[in-house]
Amino acid sequence: MLRLEDLDLVKITLFAIGLPSVLLSIANYIGIFDISHLDIKTLNTRFIIGGIIFGLLFGVAGTCSRTCVGAASGSNFKKAISTILCGLLSAFAFSISYGYLNERGLISGFNLGNMTLFNLSPKYPSVFNIGFIGLFIVVILFMLGGYLLPKSIIKK
């Protein structure tokens, strides 16, 4: 997938994000789901930095952290075990440095609170104030992207 030779996983992921989001939007619109049950996590520096590090290392390793355990039983044993150990080591390094980084304001310095991409409720601030209609349009575009994306960009 990361070499753009087989995009099936990308297509599945786009659809897996889109379909439940469409169903959530419809359920909220017709009143069978109350969005107050949603738990919005705080957006701050640690999640942004963690996401960037995870994405970069995911690309460098060439394997997903969730599939490493399965890959450990196959021909990619060394790669899978090294990826798992590096993931555990980085989690350990972050946990022991968390107090130090937090005292210096590096963790909570960029704290946007419980923020959403679209305005889903007056309770949470949002980046775009277009509500469930915006969410619905974006996830439809995700699903269309997943459907229209070619199976491969670069031929093997």
Side-chain angles (χ1 to χ4, degrees), residues 7 9 15 57 62 77 89 93 101 116 123 149 151:
L7 298 178
L9 184 60
F15 232 84
L57 294 179
F77 178 77
L89 181 64
L101 296 172
T116 61
K123 182 172 146 183
L149 195 67
K151 179 161 176 58

Side-chain angles (χ1 to χ4, degrees), residues 18-145:
L19 185 62
S21 299
V22 166
L23 296 175
L24 175 66
S25 295
I26 292 169
N28 180 68
Y29 183 73
I30 62 177
I32 61 173
F33 181 76
D34 181 14
I35 61 169
S36 68
H37 298 295
L38 296 176
D39 183 27
I40 309 295
K41 303 294 182 208
T42 302
L43 175 62
N44 60 31
T45 310
R46 64 183 169 164
F47 293 118
I48 294 169
I49 293 172
I52 291 169
I53 291 170
F54 178 81
L56 289 172
L57 294 179
F58 171 48
V60 169
T63 184
C64 179
S65 58
R66 292 186 177 191
T67 59
C68 283
V69 177
S73 64
S75 60
N76 289 330
F77 178 77
K78 290 180 183 176
K79 182 179 182 179
I81 293 300
S82 64
T83 304
I84 292 168
L85 290 175
C86 286
L88 291 172
L89 181 64
S90 63
F92 177 72
F94 178 76
S95 66
I96 61 172
S97 64
Y98 180 81
Y100 175 81
L101 296 172
N102 195 32
E103 286 174 5
R104 278 141 190 83
L106 296 174
I107 299 296
S108 59
F110 178 73
N111 188 348
L112 296 176
N114 298 18
M115 185 173 217
T116 61
L117 189 58
F118 299 103
N119 186 8
L120 304 179
S121 162
K123 182 172 146 183
Y124 302 114
S126 62
V127 176
F128 304 106
N129 194 13
I130 53 179
F132 273 96
I133 299 299
L135 175 64
F136 189 77
I137 291 168
V138 168
V139 297
I140 292 295
L141 291 174
F142 267 51
M143 291 170 53
L144 278 172

